[in-house]
Each structure stands twice: as C-alpha cells, then as structure tokens.
C-alpha cells in the first residue's frame, strides 16, 4: 500500500492505473476510521480493481466554534486498517497542499444545503463540496463511496457530480450500527458512559416514527412531534432538527409520501449526533 502525501504523486498514481485500464474506487475520509468507513472500503474493493482512501481533516467544513482542532486523529491506526482491507493507496495531503496561500475558489450548491444540517452549519456543505471536488480532480476515480448516515452530504455529492460533469459513479452505503442500534460515528468516542444510553434516543425516535407510519399515521408534523418528545425525555438533549422530507430535494413534506426521509440531529451536551432512515408507506396490497 502506498501512502501518498503529494498531489502530483497521487494524480500520477491514478493516471498510471487508468493507462492500464484498471478501475479505481475512492473513499474520502477525515480519518479516525470506524466500521462505517470499513464498510465503504469493502464495498469499494468489490466495485473496482483498486481502492484509494484519503485521510484529510478538512478545515473548510468546520465553523469557527466547531471541533476542528480536537477532531479525533489516529493516522497510524487508520493506515493499518487500510492496509488490512487491501487499499492500493492512501492519500494524506496537508492543509497547505489543499488550501495553499491565496486559495479562493469554493464550490457551493444553491438549494440542497438550505435544509437539515445546512441550517445550523452554514459553512459545512460549502467546505465538503469544495474538498470533494478537489479530491475528485486529484484522484480521478471511477467510483466514489459515501455513507448514507450523512444523507444530506450524499445527496449534495450526487448533485455535484451531475452539475460539474464528473464521470464518477457515486455509491451510497447503508448506515452501520452498534448492536443496540446507535449509528457508528467518529464522534461516538466522546460519549460518556452516562450519555451513551441517551444517544440511543435518536434511533428510538426513528423506530417510533416507523411504527406510527406502519400503523397508518400519515401526518408528518404529528410524527415529528412524537419524535421530538422522545428526544426531549432526556434533559441533556437539545434538538437541532427532526425533519420528514422528500428524499431527493430534502424539502419538508406535510404528509408521508410513498418514500420519505426522516432525518434527526441533536446536541447531547457538546456532541452533535445525526441519524436518518427512509420511511415507506405500508403497501396496502400486502
Ligand atoms: O464524510 C466525511 O468524512 C467528510 O465530510 C468528507 C466527505 C471526507 C469530506 O471532508
């Protein structure tokens, strides 16, 4: 496995594979790899001849009061995981490589960021879209894999490749959960023993919503309100949003559609947690 820090070397590595008609699957990450990332990497290995992973904690997607400096980092452990999975290369650029002095070109979508996480983290998706565009240009993969846990990010990247004419197939990989249902996240490591059961309320409120829909409830507001009540049963939780929305446009819906997205974000103390699930209208013919 090659560990490549330089942009020109990364581009040459990909060009060389492409010249030999070999395909490349790409998993961009901010490191501190967990089983969610491992699922993306395994899927990438299945899809293409070679897997490239990037590890870059992207300063442009953190707000001034967010956890950029304390975001967990464990590069040696991450490289070992990539090696075990059989990555061909890991790209580890530095901040000054990606954002050299004088950098001023950002990628921003007009509509999709105006929902869900974009409302409370206005700089976040501009930072994500910018770094992903740059990484796509540098790595030039055939496939790129993203977790469905960051549903809005995945929707934004699907739109970005269409709008900017990238010839890259975007593959969404289902959420990986702990045995009790908590969605895996690099930030779970911050949860104290006391907070850990409270974090599970995200999954519980989504399960409750699924049950309401299964039992015939179609009023999105009632389902959102019930979910908020479940979350607020923990006094340490501040709800950022509970939203039932269209899974493509992310526009809020008033009634449950055949397929609606339920997305939830909370603060548990200083830790931000998100989760989501598609809600399906029960099939009346079954
Ligand atoms: O999902 C992430 O880890 C990041 O947002 C990404 C896609 C690697 C861009 O920095």
């Amino acid at each position: 496995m090659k560990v490549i820090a330089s942009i020109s070397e990364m581009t040459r590595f990909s060009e060389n594979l492409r010249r030999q008609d070999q395909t490349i699957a790409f998993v961009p990450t901010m490191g501190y790899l967990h089983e969610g990332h491992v699922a993306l990497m395994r899927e990438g290995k299945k899809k293409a001849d070679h897997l490239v992973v990037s590890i870059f904690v992207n300063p442009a997607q953190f707000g001034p009061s967010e956890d950029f400096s304390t975001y967990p980092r464990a590069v040696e452990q991450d490289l070992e995981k990539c090696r075990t999975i059989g990555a061909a290369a890991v790209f580890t650029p530095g901040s000054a490589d990606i954002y050299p002095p004088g950098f001023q070109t950002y990628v921003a979508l007009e509509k999709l960021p105006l929902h869900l996480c974009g409302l409370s983290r206005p700089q976040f998706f501009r930072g994500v879209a910018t770094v992903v565009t740059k990484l796509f240009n540098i790595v030039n993969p055939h496939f790129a894999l993203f977790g469905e846990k960051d549903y809005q990010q995945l929707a934004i990247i699907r739109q970005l490749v269409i709008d900017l004419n990238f010839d890259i197939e975007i593959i969404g990989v289902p959420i990986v959960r702990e045995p009790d249902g908590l969605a895996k996240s690099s930030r779970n490591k911050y949860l104290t023993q006391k907070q850990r059961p409270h974090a599970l309320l995200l999954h519980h409120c989504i399960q409750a919503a699924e049950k309401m829909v299964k039992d015939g409830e179609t009023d999105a507001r009632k389902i959102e309100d019930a979910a908020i009540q479940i979350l607020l049963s923990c006094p340490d939780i501040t709800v950022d949003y509970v939203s039932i929305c269209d899974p493509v446009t992310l526009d809020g819906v008033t009634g449950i559609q055949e397929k609606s997205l339920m997305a939830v974000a909370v603060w548990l103390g200083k830790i931000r947690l998100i989760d989501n699930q598609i809600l399906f209208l029960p099939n009346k013919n079954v």
Side-chain angles (χ1 to χ4, degrees):
M1 183 182 84
K2 287 205 99 170
V3 181
I4 302 175
S6 123
I7 290 179
S8 54
E9 196 185 335
M10 184 65 246
T11 302
R12 270 201 309 280
F13 182 87
S14 290
E15 272 170 5
N16 192 29
L17 292 177
R18 279 182 168 263
R19 258 198 304 277
Q20 298 168 56
D21 280 333
Q22 301 282 294
T23 55
I24 302 165
F26 177 45
V27 176
T29 80
M30 298 210 298
Y32 210 76
L33 305 179
H34 53 68
E35 284 165 54
H37 298 110
V38 170
L40 299 179
M41 293 194 263
R42 287 201 203 291
E43 213 43 49
K45 283 282 289 177
K46 282 192 221 151
K47 253 337 248 189
D49 300 316
H50 301 276
L51 170 68
V52 173
V53 179
S54 65
I55 299 177
F56 178 64
V57 185
N58 175 30
Q61 68 191 71
F62 288 80
S65 59
E66 290 181 353
D67 57 351
F68 173 68
S69 57
T70 56
Y71 193 83
R73 290 158 170 90
V75 177
E76 284 315 314
Q77 273 163 261
D78 289 346
L79 292 177
E80 203 37 58
K81 284 187 181 142
C82 296
R83 209 168 274 124
T84 307
I85 285 164
V90 180
F91 179 45
T92 57
S95 281
D97 301 313
I98 298 294
Y99 301 111
F103 181 87
Q104 55 184 294
T105 306
Y106 289 87
V107 178
L109 287 82
E110 297 217 330
K111 290 191 191 146
L112 283 171
L114 304 180
H115 300 282
L116 310 179
C117 294
L119 296 176
S120 56
R121 305 183 74 193
Q123 72 300 316
F124 178 69
F125 290 114
R126 175 179 182 258
V128 170
T130 302
V131 81
V132 169
T133 301
K134 288 182 66 97
L135 291 169
F136 282 176
N137 281 329
I138 295 164
V139 176
N140 194 12
H142 299 80
F143 307 96
L145 297 98
F146 294 86
E148 288 175 356
K149 171 159 172 288
D150 298 302
Y151 189 99
Q152 188 174 15
Q153 169 170 282
L154 176 58
I156 281 173
I157 288 158
R158 286 193 195 286
Q159 188 63 47
L160 179 153
V161 294
I162 296 169
D163 292 349
L164 299 184
N165 305 97
F166 279 112
D167 187 11
I168 300 173
E169 187 185 327
I170 302 300
I171 299 165
V173 176
I175 297 177
V176 179
R177 296 182 181 279
E178 303 285 357
D180 62 3
L182 179 68
K184 299 246 185 195
S185 160
S186 303
R187 290 191 170 103
N188 289 353
K189 92 170 202 104
Y190 297 133
L191 293 169
T192 62
Q193 252 183 335
K194 183 173 167 245
Q195 286 172 325
R196 180 62 182 73
H198 298 153
L200 206 52
L201 289 174
L202 276 88
H203 184 52
H204 286 168
C205 81
I206 292 176
Q207 283 180 315
E210 267 192 310
K211 180 160 184 333
M212 284 177 83
V213 174
K214 192 162 160 253
D215 293 346
E217 183 58 71
T218 56
D219 183 332
R221 282 305 81 73
K222 280 194 187 153
I223 300 169
E224 287 168 352
D225 287 347
I228 290 170
Q229 290 319 311
I230 292 174
L231 293 167
L232 293 182
S233 67
C234 167
D236 297 338
I237 284 185
T238 309
V239 177
D240 181 3
Y241 62 78
V242 171
S243 174
I244 298 182
C245 57
D246 181 279
V248 177
T249 63
L250 307 183
D251 291 332
V253 294
T254 50
I256 297 290
Q257 304 168 339
E258 209 165 307
K259 197 175 158 197
S260 309
L261 173 72
M262 172 150 178
V264 181
V266 304
W267 289 97
L268 177 50
K270 288 195 173 139
I271 309 161
R272 191 181 150 80
L273 299 170
I274 59 173
D275 202 344
N276 72 77
Q277 190 145 315
I278 297 289
L279 303 176
F280 294 96
L281 264 189
N283 185 345
K284 293 196 177 72
N285 302 323
V286 177

